[in-house]
Amino acid sequence: MCSGGFAKCLGISLLPLAIICVLCNILLFFPDGKVIESEHITKQVWYFGGILGSGVLMIFPALVFLGLKNNDCCGCCGNESCGRRFAMLSSILFAAVGVLGAGYSVIVSAVAINQGPLCFYDSETNGTIWGYPFSEGNYLSDKNLWNKCQEPKNVVHWNLALFAVLLAMGLIQIALCAVQVVNGLLGALCGDCCGCCGGDDGAM
């Protein structure tokens, strides 16, 4: 497969992942599907890791990758191959933007999973308060601790599931963008098809 066609496949894969991340981040604002006061939402939700990092910032590289297959830039002094090489090289910059965006989402999600959700719980020192009852991810290995959270209902399950999806999607996005970095380098150095199509590169 030519590098432009392979980049298009990566772009097609990135778009649904970005949409899933945006939806997950939106759902995190409604623990257990219910509307709650904004000050009772886990703070990492407000960092918009899924909406901005793995969502909006991922749309740009995805669209660029999709357009590489049909790139018809006349290139350098009318040399089409040169134009396509430059397009492949520029795609590396957009892939880097994707890596940064997905990396941001991964970090936010990892921190949120480790810290646990904001919830209404019975503190040993201050009575029932809104806060973060867990520390250093201790609740991950002991489901009995999940009962500490009284409100919102099922907030531990909700946050853990959605942030885990964001974490997984972000890692996949990073991998796909990293693959495009390699693909872009090959396309820039060897031409769109690395000699398999012969026509354009043979004229150089």
Side-chain angles (χ1 to χ4, degrees):
M1 180 185 291
C2 298
S3 55
F6 185 66
K8 182 178 181 179
C9 293
L10 294 177
I12 293 173
S13 301
L14 285 173
L15 281 178
L17 294 179
I19 294 172
I20 291 173
C21 289
V22 170
L23 292 177
C24 285
N25 202 149
I26 293 174
L27 287 173
L28 283 166
F29 284 100
F30 306 98
D32 202 29
K34 297 180 177 62
V35 178
I36 64 173
E37 296 182 21
S38 59
E39 60 266 26
H40 295 158
I41 296 175
T42 304
K43 63 182 179 181
Q44 282 81 15
V45 178
W46 293 102
Y47 295 166
F48 300 108
I51 294 177
L52 293 179
S54 287
V56 174
L57 286 179
M58 195 56 61
I59 295 297
F60 296 111
L63 294 178
V64 169
F65 300 167
L66 284 172
L68 288 175
K69 172 65 176 175
N70 300 319
N71 183 276
D72 59 356
C73 176
C74 60
C76 312
C77 301
N79 189 312
E80 184 179 358
S81 177
C82 180
R84 288 182 174 176
R85 288 171 188 260
F86 179 78
M88 292 302 298
L89 189 61
S90 64
S91 73
I92 297 175
L93 298 178
F94 285 94
V97 171
V99 169
L100 290 176
Y104 172 71
S105 179
V106 166
I107 292 173
V108 171
S109 300
V111 171
I113 291 174
N114 184 64
Q115 183 182 54
L118 172 66
C119 63
F120 188 69
Y121 73 104
D122 189 7
S123 171
E124 295 179 357
T125 56
N126 301 316
T128 51
I129 60 172
W130 283 91
Y132 296 89
F134 311 121
S135 61
E136 299 300 323
N138 60 337
Y139 73 103
L140 296 174
S141 58
D142 186 359
K143 284 191 175 183
N144 292 325
L145 294 176
W146 296 14
N147 295 324
K148 280 188 174 183
C149 285
Q150 301 173 19
E151 294 289 340
K153 294 294 184 183
N154 300 317
V155 66
V156 179
H157 305 73
W158 190 267
N159 275 29
L160 182 58
L162 291 173
F163 274 120
V165 171
L166 284 175
L167 180 64
M169 294 298 101
L171 291 174
I172 294 173
Q173 288 174 330
I174 290 174
L176 292 177
C177 287
V179 169
Q180 176 53 28
V181 170
V182 177
N183 182 51
L185 284 173
L186 291 175
L189 294 174
C190 306
D192 186 39
C193 292
C194 283
C196 69
C197 297
D200 290 332
D201 293 328
M204 291 189 66

